Structures are given as C-alpha cells and as structure tokens.
Amino acid sequence: MSPAANSATELANVSYSPANFASIFAVLTTFVSVIPSNVHEPEELHSLVTSTESTDQLKDLSLNLLASALNRKPKARPSEDQWPRHCTDLAATYVFLLKGLEVPEEAADSLDGFVQQTPTVRVDFLYWLCEIALMDNSSIKQLVDTEAEKGRKTTNTTLATNDSLVRLQPFAEISKQRYWLFGSKTRQFYLESVSQKGKGKFELLAQTVDEFASAAADLRAQRYNAPKELGGRLVSEVIPYLEAQVKKRCRVERALQRHAIANAHVHVYETRTRKRQRVNYNDDQLLDALDF
C-alpha cells in the first residue's frame, strides 16, 4: 500500500478522489476557528497529501482533525501514541462512513504508518475524520446554529452566492429542513433535518457537478414552489461555478503532466527488431516539477 519514500513515478501516477479532496478543503476553510491548519489554497492541501519527503505538516493536520472528530479542543488533541486507540474507537462507531473509502488497517495502527500511505489513502482517511467532525463536533454545531440565527434575521434571502467567501448561513430553509452550502473554492450541499429537540442531522446531498445536477433535478420535480426555486438556484448559482473549478483543475493536471514529461530522461535501446524508447524518471526533478 505504501509508496517508497522517493518514488516519484508512483506519485506521478497516483490519483485521489477529487470529491473527497474538495470536502476536506471545504471543512478546513469553513471551520478554521475549530480546526487549525495552514491550508488556505487547494494547492497547499494537494502538496500536503502528496508529499513524500516532509510529513510533519500532514501529521499536525491529522492530529487536529482527530481531535475535532473526538469533539476535543485543539489544545487537548491526542498525542501520536494515542493515535491507534482513538482511530480504532472511531472505526468501531463510524464504520458505516468507511464504505467506499480506501482506508487500510495500517493507517490506524500508527501515525507514522498513516503518513506512509499513498495520497489516495491519505485523502480518504482525512475525509473520514472530516465527516465525523461535521456530525458530532459541538463547536461546529454551535457555529452553524449561530450563523443560522443570523440568517433568519436577514430580510433579503435572494442574495447570490459570493464565490470568494465562505457561506455560513442556510442556503435555503424549507419547512423543518435547512439546506447548507459549505465551502470557499469548493461547494458541498448538505441537508439538515431538525428534530423536535432542536438537534440537526446532516446528510451530504452533493459535492460534484453531476451530484448537484441530480439534486437540482429532484428539487425542481417536486410539487411546491420552494423546492423548485431552490433547484433553480443550484442550476444558476452553483453548477456554473463548479464547472469552472473542474476546468481549472484539468488545466493544473495537464500542466503537471507536461512538467513530468519535460523532466523525464529518454534513452534509446535496441532489440532484434527495432529501436525502442525507455523512459527513466529523475525523481528529484519530477518532485520539483510537481510542486505547485
């Protein structure tokens, strides 16, 4: 499961879930007061989850997310030695959230074992901790409820989404259900069903273009005007932004591929029938090229 410490060819060919990556970035930038991190741009998070040299920042972020998942303050975060016990306890309680994720047992055995995993495993594991924090962290819930109260006092509810700011008030509220749109340079669409006791349960409805299109179609197919209007807002405000972000990511990936090819050493060797090219990657140069 783990790439070699200086395996640039593995790093160049590995891919992680863009949707899970986007969710991690949205949680970190939306709830920065709850989960301390040095991640301010997607490129910084990408470098952190793909680095094969220095993993100190990845360890620091992982422990902060673990503390948030355990409903602890950052100052009371677990130590590295406590990583296995707490990860095992969380896995027993939130095993249903691991469905579809690539999280081997080695990732929970030790923090050192986790940071030696591939970027795919790193992203999936951090995404799992983020989902737990969204469900159970009291500071996050308090922050969401506070912003919800501010949202109710706002008279103009037709304000368009500001793409450069984090939205921390309900995107819409229909009956006893609140629809939340989290994220700064990403978008995650959550449904909060409020119980009689006032405690909400969050359900992730969409975070990719296709998922938002499907959610919008479902809402617009409903009988009443409020869901139809909400579906229309998703189509007009959210989906175009996500499509632009996908195009931007594709441009970045193509640039990374060009850098990788430009830094490859190509040698010609002969067989009985014809000459062929063999590509040997220079690990150090390729790692520099992959640096945003």
Side-chain angles (χ1 to χ4, degrees):
M1 296 297 298
S2 304
N6 63 344
S7 178
T9 52
E10 288 189 35
L11 178 58
N13 293 317
V14 76
S15 61
Y16 50 69
S17 167
N20 293 351
F21 177 92
S23 291
I24 298 168
F25 181 74
V27 169
L28 293 179
T29 53
T30 301
F31 302 109
V32 64
S33 61
V34 181
I35 310 171
S37 78
N38 293 321
V39 174
H40 307 290
E41 299 291 339
E43 293 82 2
E44 294 172 337
L45 181 59
H46 171 82
S47 298
L48 190 147
V49 299
T50 57
S51 175
T52 57
E53 294 181 350
S54 175
T55 58
D56 290 342
Q57 290 187 1
L58 178 60
K59 286 184 176 182
D60 188 65
L61 175 61
S62 302
L63 289 172
N64 286 341
L65 276 173
L66 179 59
S68 181
L70 294 170
N71 197 21
R72 293 187 181 183
K73 300 293 183 182
K75 293 182 179 180
R77 76 179 193 183
S79 64
E80 289 191 28
D81 294 337
Q82 295 172 326
W83 174 272
R85 176 169 61 86
H86 289 304
C87 287
T88 301
D89 291 343
L90 288 177
T93 305
Y94 300 96
V95 65
F96 63 95
L97 292 177
L98 291 171
K99 184 178 180 180
L101 299 179
E102 187 172 331
V103 181
E105 293 183 2
E106 293 83 354
D109 288 343
S110 69
L111 186 57
D112 286 332
F114 165 67
V115 299
Q116 291 173 6
Q117 300 297 317
T118 64
T120 301
V121 174
R122 293 177 181 180
V123 167
D124 280 3
F125 198 94
L126 296 180
Y127 167 77
W128 178 62
L129 292 178
C130 286
E131 287 294 290
I132 297 173
L134 281 177
M135 292 178 63
D136 280 354
N137 187 279
S138 58
S139 296
I140 290 178
K141 288 183 177 181
Q142 183 179 4
L143 181 59
V144 169
D145 288 341
T146 301
E147 292 299 326
E149 290 297 326
K150 293 179 182 178
R152 293 193 186 95
K153 297 176 183 178
T154 304
T155 56
N156 184 3
T157 59
T158 61
L159 294 175
T161 306
N162 187 334
D163 291 341
S164 64
L165 298 176
V166 172
R167 187 181 182 89
L168 269 183
Q169 59 184 3
F171 190 63
E173 190 165 354
I174 302 173
S175 298
K176 294 184 178 181
Q177 294 182 320
R178 301 171 186 161
Y179 292 86
W180 295 89
L181 192 65
F182 292 138
S184 174
K185 295 189 177 182
T186 57
R187 293 290 184 266
Q188 281 73 48
F189 192 45
Y190 279 86
L191 169 63
E192 181 189 13
S193 300
V194 182
S195 66
Q196 293 181 349
K197 296 181 179 180
K199 295 183 178 180
K201 180 179 180 181
F202 283 90
E203 177 187 358
L204 178 62
L205 298 181
Q207 56 186 345
T208 65
V209 174
D210 291 340
E211 290 172 351
F212 268 99
S214 177
D218 291 342
L219 288 167
R220 298 175 85 174
Q222 295 187 28
R223 178 179 178 181
Y224 298 103
N225 287 332
K228 291 180 183 292
E229 292 175 358
L230 175 57
R233 292 185 65 190
L234 294 180
V235 172
S236 62
E237 298 178 28
V238 182
I239 292 179
Y241 175 82
L242 288 175
E243 289 175 339
Q245 291 296 90
V246 169
K247 291 179 180 179
K248 179 180 177 182
R249 179 175 177 83
C250 289
R251 289 196 300 270
V252 171
E253 290 177 346
R254 287 196 296 270
L256 288 172
Q257 291 173 358
R258 288 195 298 270
H259 280 303
I261 294 172
N263 285 275
H265 296 314
V266 180
H267 303 287
V268 176
Y269 66 97
E270 294 185 9
T271 66
R272 282 186 174 183
T273 55
R274 59 180 176 176
K275 291 184 177 181
R276 300 187 182 185
Q277 288 186 337
R278 178 177 61 198
V279 180
N280 294 329
Y281 287 99
N282 182 307
D283 292 354
D284 295 333
Q285 291 184 9
L286 182 53
L287 284 171
D288 291 339
L290 288 173
D291 187 8
F292 281 89

Coordinates of all heavy atoms in Angstrom, one line a residue, residues 43-102:
E43 N -4.0 24.2 -3.6 CA -2.6 23.7 -4.0 C -1.8 23.4 -2.7 O -1.0 22.4 -2.7 CB -1.9 24.8 -4.7 CG -2.4 25.1 -6.1 CD -3.6 26.0 -6.1 OE1 -4.0 26.5 -5.0 OE2 -4.2 26.3 -7.2
E44 N -2.1 24.1 -1.6 CA -1.4 23.8 -0.3 C -1.8 22.4 0.2 O -1.0 21.6 0.7 CB -1.7 24.9 0.7 CG -1.1 26.2 0.3 CD -1.5 27.3 1.2 OE1 -2.5 27.2 1.8 OE2 -0.8 28.3 1.2
L45 N -3.1 22.1 0.1 CA -3.6 20.8 0.6 C -3.1 19.7 -0.3 O -2.7 18.6 0.1 CB -5.1 20.8 0.6 CG -5.8 19.5 1.1 CD1 -5.4 19.2 2.5 CD2 -7.3 19.6 1.0
H46 N -3.0 20.0 -1.6 CA -2.5 19.0 -2.6 C -1.1 18.6 -2.2 O -0.7 17.4 -2.2 CB -2.6 19.5 -4.0 CG -1.9 18.6 -5.0 ND1 -2.5 17.5 -5.6 CD2 -0.7 18.7 -5.6 CE1 -1.6 16.9 -6.4 NE2 -0.5 17.7 -6.4
S47 N -0.2 19.6 -2.0 CA 1.2 19.4 -1.7 C 1.3 18.6 -0.4 O 2.1 17.7 -0.2 CB 1.9 20.7 -1.5 OG 1.9 21.4 -2.7
L48 N 0.4 18.9 0.6 CA 0.4 18.2 1.9 C 0.1 16.7 1.8 O 0.8 15.9 2.4 CB -0.5 18.9 2.8 CG -0.5 18.6 4.3 CD1 -0.8 19.8 5.1 CD2 -1.5 17.5 4.6
V49 N -0.9 16.4 1.0 CA -1.4 15.0 0.9 C -0.5 14.2 -0.1 O -0.7 13.0 -0.2 CB -2.9 14.9 0.5 CG1 -3.7 15.6 1.6 CG2 -3.1 15.5 -0.8
T50 N 0.3 14.8 -0.9 CA 1.1 14.1 -1.9 C 2.6 14.1 -1.5 O 3.4 13.4 -2.2 CB 1.0 14.7 -3.3 OG1 1.3 16.1 -3.3 CG2 -0.5 14.5 -3.8
S51 N 3.0 14.8 -0.5 CA 4.4 14.9 -0.2 C 5.0 13.6 0.3 O 4.4 12.9 1.1 CB 4.6 16.0 0.9 OG 6.0 16.0 1.4
T52 N 6.2 13.3 -0.2 CA 6.8 12.0 0.2 C 8.1 12.3 1.0 O 8.8 11.4 1.4 CB 7.2 11.2 -1.0 OG1 8.0 11.9 -1.9 CG2 5.9 10.7 -1.7
E53 N 8.4 13.6 1.2 CA 9.6 14.0 2.0 C 9.2 14.4 3.4 O 9.2 13.6 4.3 CB 10.3 15.1 1.2 CG 10.9 14.6 -0.2 CD 11.6 15.7 -0.9 OE1 11.5 16.8 -0.5 OE2 12.3 15.3 -1.9
S54 N 8.8 15.7 3.5 CA 8.4 16.2 4.9 C 6.9 15.9 5.1 O 6.1 16.3 4.4 CB 8.7 17.7 4.9 OG 8.2 18.2 6.2
T55 N 6.7 15.2 6.2 CA 5.3 14.8 6.6 C 4.9 15.4 7.9 O 3.8 15.1 8.4 CB 5.1 13.3 6.6 OG1 6.1 12.7 7.6 CG2 5.4 12.6 5.3
D56 N 5.7 16.4 8.4 CA 5.3 17.0 9.7 C 4.0 17.7 9.7 O 3.2 17.6 10.6 CB 6.5 17.9 10.1 CG 7.7 17.2 10.5 OD1 7.7 16.0 10.8 OD2 8.8 17.8 10.5
Q57 N 3.8 18.5 8.6 CA 2.5 19.2 8.5 C 1.3 18.3 8.3 O 0.3 18.6 8.8 CB 2.6 20.2 7.3 CG 3.5 21.4 7.5 CD 3.5 22.4 6.4 OE1 2.7 22.2 5.4 NE2 4.3 23.4 6.4
L58 N 1.5 17.2 7.6 CA 0.5 16.2 7.5 C 0.1 15.6 8.8 O -1.1 15.4 9.2 CB 0.9 15.1 6.5 CG -0.1 14.0 6.3 CD1 -1.5 14.5 5.8 CD2 0.4 12.9 5.3
K59 N 1.1 15.3 9.6 CA 0.9 14.7 11.0 C 0.1 15.7 11.8 O -0.8 15.4 12.5 CB 2.2 14.4 11.6 CG 2.9 13.1 11.1 CD 4.1 12.8 11.9 CE 4.8 11.5 11.5 NZ 6.0 11.2 12.3
D60 N 0.5 17.0 11.8 CA -0.1 18.0 12.6 C -1.6 18.2 12.2 O -2.4 18.3 13.1 CB 0.7 19.4 12.4 CG 0.2 20.4 13.3 OD1 0.4 20.3 14.5 OD2 -0.4 21.4 12.8
L61 N -1.9 18.2 10.9 CA -3.2 18.4 10.4 C -4.0 17.1 10.8 O -5.2 17.2 11.3 CB -3.3 18.5 8.9 CG -4.7 18.6 8.3 CD1 -5.5 19.7 8.8 CD2 -4.6 18.7 6.8
S62 N -3.5 15.9 10.7 CA -4.2 14.7 11.0 C -4.6 14.7 12.5 O -5.7 14.3 12.9 CB -3.3 13.5 10.7 OG -2.9 13.5 9.3
L63 N -3.7 15.1 13.4 CA -4.0 15.1 14.8 C -5.0 16.2 15.1 O -5.9 16.0 16.0 CB -2.7 15.4 15.6 CG -1.7 14.2 15.7 CD1 -0.4 14.7 16.3 CD2 -2.3 13.0 16.4
N64 N -5.0 17.3 14.5 CA -6.0 18.3 14.7 C -7.4 17.8 14.2 O -8.4 18.1 14.9 CB -5.7 19.6 13.9 CG -4.6 20.4 14.6 OD1 -4.3 20.2 15.7 ND2 -3.9 21.3 13.8
L65 N -7.4 17.1 13.1 CA -8.7 16.6 12.6 C -9.2 15.5 13.5 O -10.4 15.3 13.8 CB -8.6 16.0 11.2 CG -8.7 17.1 10.1 CD1 -8.4 16.5 8.7 CD2 -10.1 17.6 10.1
L66 N -8.3 14.7 14.1 CA -8.7 13.6 15.0 C -9.2 14.2 16.3 O -10.3 13.7 16.8 CB -7.4 12.7 15.4 CG -7.7 11.6 16.4 CD1 -8.7 10.6 15.9 CD2 -6.4 10.9 16.7
A67 N -8.6 15.3 16.8 CA -9.2 16.0 17.9 C -10.6 16.5 17.7 O -11.5 16.4 18.5 CB -8.3 17.1 18.3
S68 N -10.8 17.1 16.5 CA -12.1 17.6 16.1 C -13.1 16.4 16.0 O -14.3 16.6 16.5 CB -12.1 18.3 14.8 OG -13.3 18.8 14.4
A69 N -12.7 15.3 15.5 CA -13.6 14.1 15.4 C -14.0 13.6 16.8 O -15.1 13.1 17.0 CB -13.0 13.1 14.5
L70 N -13.1 13.8 17.7 CA -13.3 13.3 19.1 C -14.0 14.4 19.9 O -14.2 14.2 21.1 CB -12.0 13.0 19.8 CG -11.2 11.8 19.2 CD1 -9.8 11.7 19.8 CD2 -12.0 10.5 19.4
N71 N -14.4 15.5 19.3 CA -15.1 16.6 19.9 C -14.2 17.2 21.0 O -14.6 17.6 22.1 CB -16.4 16.2 20.5 CG -17.3 17.3 20.9 OD1 -17.1 18.4 20.3 ND2 -18.3 17.1 21.8
R72 N -12.9 17.4 20.7 CA -11.9 18.0 21.6 C -11.5 19.3 21.1 O -11.5 19.6 19.9 CB -10.7 17.1 21.8 CG -11.0 15.8 22.6 CD -9.6 15.1 22.8 NE -9.8 13.9 23.5 CZ -8.7 13.1 23.9 NH1 -7.5 13.6 23.7 NH2 -8.9 12.0 24.5
K73 N -11.1 20.2 22.0 CA -10.4 21.5 21.6 C -9.1 21.2 21.0 O -8.4 20.2 21.4 CB -10.3 22.4 22.8 CG -11.6 22.8 23.5 CD -12.5 23.6 22.5 CE -13.8 24.0 23.2 NZ -14.7 24.8 22.3
P74 N -8.5 22.0 20.1 CA -7.2 21.8 19.6 C -6.1 21.7 20.6 O -5.2 20.9 20.4 CB -7.0 23.1 18.7 CG -8.4 23.5 18.4 CD -9.2 23.2 19.6
K75 N -6.2 22.4 21.7 CA -5.2 22.3 22.8 C -5.2 20.9 23.5 O -4.2 20.5 24.1 CB -5.4 23.4 23.8 CG -5.1 24.8 23.2 CD -5.2 25.8 24.3 CE -5.0 27.2 23.8 NZ -5.1 28.3 24.8
A76 N -6.3 20.2 23.4 CA -6.4 18.9 24.0 C -6.4 17.8 23.0 O -6.9 16.7 23.3 CB -7.8 18.8 24.8
R77 N -5.7 18.0 21.9 CA -5.7 17.0 20.9 C -4.8 15.8 21.4 O -3.9 15.9 22.2 CB -5.1 17.5 19.6 CG -3.6 17.7 19.6 CD -3.1 18.2 18.3 NE -1.6 18.1 18.2 CZ -0.9 18.6 17.1 NH1 -1.5 19.2 16.1 NH2 0.4 18.4 17.1
P78 N -5.1 14.6 20.8 CA -4.4 13.4 21.2 C -2.9 13.5 20.8 O -2.5 14.2 19.9 CB -5.1 12.3 20.5 CG -6.4 12.8 20.1 CD -6.2 14.3 19.9
S79 N -2.1 12.7 21.5 CA -0.7 12.6 21.1 C -0.5 11.5 20.0 O -1.5 10.8 19.7 CB 0.2 12.2 22.3 OG -0.2 10.9 22.8
E80 N 0.7 11.4 19.4 CA 0.9 10.4 18.4 C 0.7 9.0 19.0 O 0.2 8.1 18.3 CB 2.3 10.6 17.8 CG 2.5 11.8 17.0 CD 3.9 11.8 16.3 OE1 4.4 10.7 16.0 OE2 4.4 12.8 16.0
D81 N 1.1 8.8 20.2 CA 1.0 7.4 20.8 C -0.5 7.0 21.0 O -0.8 5.8 21.0 CB 1.7 7.4 22.2 CG 3.2 7.6 22.1 OD1 3.7 7.3 21.0 OD2 3.8 8.0 23.0
Q82 N -1.4 8.0 21.1 CA -2.8 7.7 21.3 C -3.5 7.5 20.0 O -4.7 7.2 20.0 CB -3.5 8.9 22.1 CG -2.9 9.0 23.5 CD -3.5 10.2 24.2 OE1 -3.7 11.3 23.6 NE2 -3.7 10.1 25.5
W83 N -2.9 7.8 18.8 CA -3.5 7.6 17.5 C -4.2 6.3 17.3 O -5.3 6.2 16.9 CB -2.4 7.9 16.5 CG -2.9 7.7 15.0 CD1 -2.8 6.5 14.3 CD2 -3.4 8.7 14.1 NE1 -3.3 6.7 13.0 CE2 -3.7 8.0 12.9 CE3 -3.8 10.0 14.3 CZ2 -4.2 8.6 11.8 CZ3 -4.3 10.7 13.1 CH2 -4.5 10.0 12.0
P84 N -3.5 5.1 17.6 CA -4.1 3.8 17.3 C -5.4 3.6 18.1 O -6.4 3.1 17.5 CB -3.0 2.8 17.7 CG -1.8 3.6 17.6 CD -2.1 5.0 18.1
R85 N -5.4 3.9 19.4 CA -6.5 3.7 20.2 C -7.7 4.5 19.8 O -8.9 3.9 19.6 CB -6.2 4.0 21.7 CG -7.4 3.8 22.6 CD -7.0 3.9 24.1 NE -6.3 5.2 24.4 CZ -7.1 6.2 24.8 NH1 -8.4 6.2 24.9 NH2 -6.4 7.4 25.1
H86 N -7.5 5.8 19.5 CA -8.7 6.6 19.1 C -9.2 6.3 17.7 O -10.4 6.3 17.5 CB -8.3 8.1 19.2 CG -8.1 8.6 20.6 ND1 -9.1 8.5 21.6 CD2 -7.0 9.2 21.2 CE1 -8.6 9.0 22.7 NE2 -7.4 9.4 22.5
C87 N -8.3 6.0 16.8 CA -8.7 5.6 15.5 C -9.5 4.3 15.5 O -10.6 4.2 14.8 CB -7.5 5.4 14.6 SG -6.8 7.0 14.1
T88 N -9.1 3.4 16.3 CA -9.9 2.1 16.5 C -11.2 2.3 17.1 O -12.2 1.8 16.6 CB -9.1 1.1 17.4 OG1 -7.8 0.9 16.8 CG2 -9.8 -0.2 17.5
D89 N -11.3 3.2 18.1 CA -12.6 3.5 18.7 C -13.6 4.2 17.7 O -14.8 3.9 17.6 CB -12.4 4.4 19.9 CG -11.7 3.7 21.1 OD1 -11.7 2.4 21.0 OD2 -11.2 4.4 22.0
L90 N -13.0 5.1 16.9 CA -13.9 5.8 15.9 C -14.3 4.9 14.8 O -15.5 4.9 14.4 CB -13.1 7.0 15.3 CG -12.8 8.2 16.2 CD1 -12.0 9.2 15.5 CD2 -14.2 8.8 16.6
A91 N -13.4 4.0 14.4 CA -13.8 3.0 13.4 C -14.9 2.1 13.9 O -15.8 1.7 13.1 CB -12.6 2.2 13.0
A92 N -14.9 1.7 15.1 CA -16.0 0.9 15.6 C -17.3 1.6 15.7 O -18.4 1.0 15.4 CB -15.6 0.4 17.1
T93 N -17.3 2.9 15.9 CA -18.6 3.7 15.9 C -19.0 4.1 14.6 O -20.2 4.2 14.3 CB -18.4 4.9 16.9 OG1 -17.9 4.4 18.1 CG2 -19.7 5.6 17.1
Y94 N -18.1 4.5 13.7 CA -18.4 5.1 12.4 C -18.0 4.3 11.3 O -17.5 4.8 10.3 CB -17.8 6.5 12.3 CG -18.2 7.5 13.4 CD1 -17.5 7.7 14.6 CD2 -19.4 8.2 13.3 CE1 -17.9 8.6 15.5 CE2 -19.9 9.1 14.3 CZ -19.1 9.2 15.4 OH -19.5 10.1 16.4
V95 N -18.1 3.0 11.4 CA -17.7 2.1 10.4 C -18.5 2.3 9.1 O -18.1 2.1 8.0 CB -17.8 0.6 10.9 CG1 -19.2 0.2 11.2 CG2 -17.1 -0.4 9.9
F96 N -19.8 2.7 9.3 CA -20.6 2.9 8.1 C -20.1 4.1 7.2 O -20.4 4.1 6.0 CB -22.1 3.3 8.6 CG -22.2 4.5 9.4 CD1 -22.5 5.7 8.8 CD2 -22.0 4.6 10.8 CE1 -22.6 6.9 9.5 CE2 -22.1 5.7 11.5 CZ -22.4 6.9 10.9
L97 N -19.3 5.0 7.8 CA -18.8 6.1 7.0 C -17.6 5.6 6.1 O -17.1 6.3 5.2 CB -18.4 7.2 7.8 CG -19.5 8.0 8.5 CD1 -18.9 9.1 9.4 CD2 -20.4 8.7 7.5
L98 N -17.1 4.4 6.4 CA -15.9 3.9 5.7 C -16.3 3.2 4.4 O -15.4 2.9 3.6 CB -15.1 2.9 6.6 CG -14.4 3.5 7.8 CD1 -13.9 2.4 8.7 CD2 -13.3 4.5 7.4
K99 N -17.5 3.1 4.2 CA -18.0 2.4 3.0 C -17.5 3.1 1.7 O -17.8 4.3 1.6 CB -19.5 2.2 3.0 CG -20.0 1.4 1.8 CD -21.5 1.3 1.8 CE -22.0 0.5 0.6 NZ -23.5 0.4 0.7
G100 N -16.8 2.5 0.8 CA -16.4 3.1 -0.4 C -15.1 3.8 -0.3 O -14.5 4.3 -1.3
L101 N -14.5 3.9 0.9 CA -13.2 4.6 1.1 C -12.1 3.6 1.2 O -12.2 2.4 1.6 CB -13.2 5.4 2.4 CG -14.3 6.5 2.6 CD1 -14.2 7.1 3.9 CD2 -14.2 7.5 1.4
E102 N -10.9 4.0 0.7 CA -9.7 3.2 0.8 C -9.0 3.5 2.0 O -8.1 4.4 2.1 CB -8.8 3.4 -0.5 CG -7.7 2.5 -0.6 CD -6.9 2.6 -1.9 OE1 -7.6 2.9 -2.9 OE2 -5.7 2.3 -1.9

